[in-house]
Amino acid sequence: MPVWGWILIAIAAAVVVALIVWQVVTRRRTAQLRGRFGPEYEHVAGEMGSRHAAEAELSSREARRDALDVRPLAPASRARYLEAWKGVQSRFVDDPRGALDSAHALLQDAMGERGYPTTDFEQRAADVSVDHPRVVESYREGYRLAHTNSGSGEEDTENLRRAMQHYRALFDELVGDVPEHSAA
């Protein structure tokens, strides 16, 4: 066989090996992101329309989160937030909308004190999803329910109650000591 034939075979073999390595690396990265983000991976993939775009978004979130100074709450702050939450819950019976608005503000305060930016809702949810991917969808649902019929004068108390429960799931994570992904 001529030398150029061997060169073509070597090039073809190198291309096949490169494709196999690329495939393995891609699958491993997908498995890592799915494991870390859980249901949030599927949520982002659905929103972005492709697995590749979703993985780029989730990787971007990880990089953004790594640049933040997210820290646990001091014990005194934890106690203060827990006490404030009790007050918010007790207010719910007499003023469901006011209690829910206070719960949302309390969540934002806790996020800010933990080191998360508190600009707009979608950015907050994206930032929190890195450390708390299992409850971020609950946070989104609570926010959605809280803004259903908001200000229309016809509040659905059941929606407000469910929103409060969803907010509580994230609140419990935020006032805890260790971010979800650090415990693994």
Side-chain angles (χ1 to χ4, degrees):
M1 180 180 270
V3 174
W4 62 267
W6 288 110
I7 292 172
L8 286 177
I9 290 172
I11 290 172
V15 168
V16 168
V17 168
L19 287 173
I20 291 170
V21 168
W22 177 77
Q23 193 68 265
V24 168
V25 168
T26 300
R27 285 184 181 165
R28 184 175 295 151
R29 181 65 179 151
T30 297
Q32 287 173 332
L33 287 169
R34 273 197 167 126
R36 180 168 187 185
F37 284 94
E40 182 67 2
Y41 179 96
E42 300 305 327
H43 171 82
V44 174
E47 267 191 356
M48 304 298 278
S50 80
R51 182 182 56 88
H52 179 72
E55 291 179 5
E57 167 62 19
L58 294 172
S59 294
S60 171
R61 288 183 188 184
E62 286 178 322
R64 177 178 160 84
R65 162 54 183 89
D66 288 345
L68 299 175
D69 180 25
V70 175
R71 59 211 167 272
L73 292 172
S77 291
R78 285 185 74 236
R80 184 175 35 98
Y81 282 113
L82 290 170
E83 195 59 37
W85 188 268
K86 286 179 190 175
V88 166
Q89 282 185 303
S90 67
R91 220 175 113 202
F92 187 83
V93 172
D94 294 326
D95 182 13
R97 167 54 62 192
L100 188 62
D101 291 343
S102 294
H104 187 251
L106 194 59
L107 274 173
Q108 282 187 271
D109 291 346
M111 284 180 206
E113 192 168 334
R114 291 276 317 262
Y116 294 102
T118 57
T119 51
D120 66 50
F121 173 77
E122 286 303 324
Q123 188 61 59
R124 281 193 311 268
D127 291 340
V128 166
S129 75
V130 177
D131 293 326
H132 307 284
R134 309 243 184 288
V135 295
V136 73
E137 189 56 37
S138 189
Y139 178 46
R140 282 191 190 99
E141 181 63 8
Y143 187 82
R144 186 192 68 75
L145 288 167
H147 291 85
T148 300
N149 299 328
S150 177
S152 70
E154 295 181 25
E155 297 281 284
D156 180 351
T157 304
E158 179 59 19
N159 277 348
L160 298 177
R161 184 190 66 77
R162 288 179 28 226
M164 190 78 154
Q165 289 174 327
H166 286 296
Y167 281 177
R168 178 63 193 245
L170 179 58
F171 179 82
D172 288 344
E173 290 278 333
L174 287 172
V175 298
D177 291 325
V178 180
E180 199 175 282
H181 86 275
S182 296

